[in-house]
Amino acid sequence: MPAKIRSNTELVQEVLSSRFAELTGTSLSIPAQIDELNGDTNFMTSLARGLAVLQAFSGRKRLMTISQLSLKTGFSRAAVRRCIYTLAKLGYVGTGDNHHFYLRPRILSLGYSGISSMPLASAAQPVLEYVSRRSPESCWIGTLDGNETICAAHANATRLNSIDFQVGGRFSAFSTSVGRVLLANLSPEDQESYIGRTEFRRRRDGTPYPQAKMRQILSQTRRMGYSIVNQELEVGVWAVAVPIYDPSGKVVAGLGIARLSEGESSETMLMKFLPRLQHGARELAMFLK
């Protein structure tokens, strides 16, 4: 059973939104950020509006009218029309009737180019393929992006019934072993902020994790130096991950393996995969020096 990933459209709009938030240092919506930054003479309002219009498209609402985009962004129809006109001229937006608009495939370059250009992601492929062949299971590198883990690089196993990852795939951070090793190594303030704004429900029965339990799991993960997750990303899927450190000792990414359960215990999973992941993480850390 393949792990679920966000649609390409959802991926791009979320990458654009999260990157904008990182640059401005706020979690406000893009329209609200634009209002706050209007007094900054170096701030390009038209560019920010274009990003907000792109973000307004979604996997559930792929065809949008000017009026719908205006309602969703809070911009006037005239402003939205100018954004759509510009984006269409650049090949990012298309239309079949000059009334309903959609994102064209070229938009994917905005999301994927940033991910693929990361130094670790571009240098990691040989190590990932080595770890994946030795396992042999799907192996991936993830980074933290807000409340989610995003796949920066992967090597999918060739055997049948393996778990497939895609660059740019996004997952609830607490549901993945990679996400947990990243959350576990946040500063106490950032970790508490995450826990306070996140409601995580168990995949198997839908019951919520108490915040105290989340804190306990993340504390234990940091102490052990790895995370093992059973059926939280997907029913029937085991996952193990370790952190990747930069030269200063900061955790910058996670390296993980996911596989369909075959009745193994957690001890068996750790014996099989933890040494290989730890070796791979040390190799990957060399690229960051």
Side-chain angles (χ1 to χ4, degrees):
M1 183 185 301
K4 295 178 181 178
I5 62 169
R6 298 295 183 89
S7 70
N8 289 336
T9 300
E10 290 172 322
L11 163 65
V12 172
Q13 71 176 52
E14 290 174 14
V15 168
L16 292 172
S17 178
S18 62
R19 293 294 174 262
F20 196 94
E22 288 175 9
L23 290 172
T24 57
T26 176
S27 60
L28 296 174
S29 65
I30 290 181
Q33 293 170 49
I34 292 173
D35 289 340
E36 286 201 347
L37 294 167
N38 267 335
D40 187 340
T41 57
N42 292 316
F43 181 72
M44 294 181 63
T45 302
S46 57
L47 174 59
R49 284 177 176 165
L51 292 175
V53 169
L54 289 177
Q55 186 190 346
F57 289 89
S58 73
R60 292 180 296 274
K61 191 69 174 177
R62 300 188 181 190
L63 289 175
M64 301 282 285
T65 65
I66 296 294
S67 295
Q68 289 170 333
L69 290 167
S70 174
L71 182 63
K72 194 164 184 179
T73 60
F75 304 146
S76 70
R77 283 183 291 181
V80 171
R81 188 175 290 107
R82 288 194 297 272
C83 290
I84 288 292
Y85 177 85
T86 302
L87 292 166
K89 287 294 184 182
L90 294 174
Y92 294 116
V93 170
T95 181
D97 58 6
N98 291 319
H99 182 64
H100 296 88
F101 300 90
Y102 57 88
L103 296 182
R104 297 182 63 187
R106 188 174 184 181
I107 195 70
L108 298 177
S109 64
L110 298 181
Y112 291 135
S113 60
I115 298 170
S116 60
S117 65
M118 294 168 58
L120 181 59
S122 60
Q125 205 60 42
V127 177
L128 285 173
E129 291 174 0
Y130 173 79
V131 174
S132 182
R133 285 196 306 269
R134 290 288 303 275
S135 299
E137 302 295 341
S138 298
C139 182
W140 65 296
I141 289 175
T143 59
L144 201 59
D145 189 18
N147 288 3
E148 296 180 309
T149 312
I150 184 168
C151 177
H154 70 92
N156 287 331
T158 56
R159 69 180 183 86
L160 295 176
N161 298 324
S162 63
I163 309 301
D164 289 334
F165 290 95
Q166 294 183 18
V167 171
R170 301 170 76 89
F171 313 91
S172 167
F174 197 73
S175 70
T176 66
S177 55
V178 167
R180 289 188 185 184
V181 296
L182 295 172
L183 293 170
N185 286 279
L186 290 175
S187 68
E189 296 78 15
D190 289 342
Q191 188 180 111
E192 193 59 33
S193 174
Y194 169 83
I195 292 173
R197 68 176 183 267
T198 304
E199 181 184 52
F200 179 75
R201 293 182 176 272
R202 294 176 175 89
R203 172 71 68 177
R204 285 171 286 182
D205 57 16
T207 58
Y209 262 88
Q211 290 187 354
K213 181 66 172 178
M214 294 175 71
R215 293 187 187 95
Q216 178 186 354
I217 290 173
L218 295 180
S219 175
Q220 184 180 33
T221 297
R222 182 166 186 147
R223 186 172 64 253
M224 295 186 307
Y226 66 84
S227 172
I228 181 165
V229 174
N230 180 16
Q231 303 188 72
E232 296 292 5
L233 173 62
E234 195 74 31
V235 174
V237 174
W238 275 100
V240 184
V242 297
I244 301 172
Y245 297 90
D246 70 8
S248 70
K250 179 183 177 182
V251 173
V252 294
L255 173 65
I257 278 177
R259 67 167 297 168
L260 294 174
S261 174
E262 297 178 356
E264 305 98 332
S265 66
S266 57
E267 291 79 11
T268 300
M269 288 289 293
L270 291 174
M271 288 177 60
K272 280 185 177 180
F273 303 121
L274 186 57
R276 296 167 191 172
L277 287 171
Q278 291 171 331
H279 175 76
R282 288 192 295 269
E283 291 289 318
L284 289 168
M286 298 294 291
F287 293 114
L288 300 175
K289 292 185 176 181

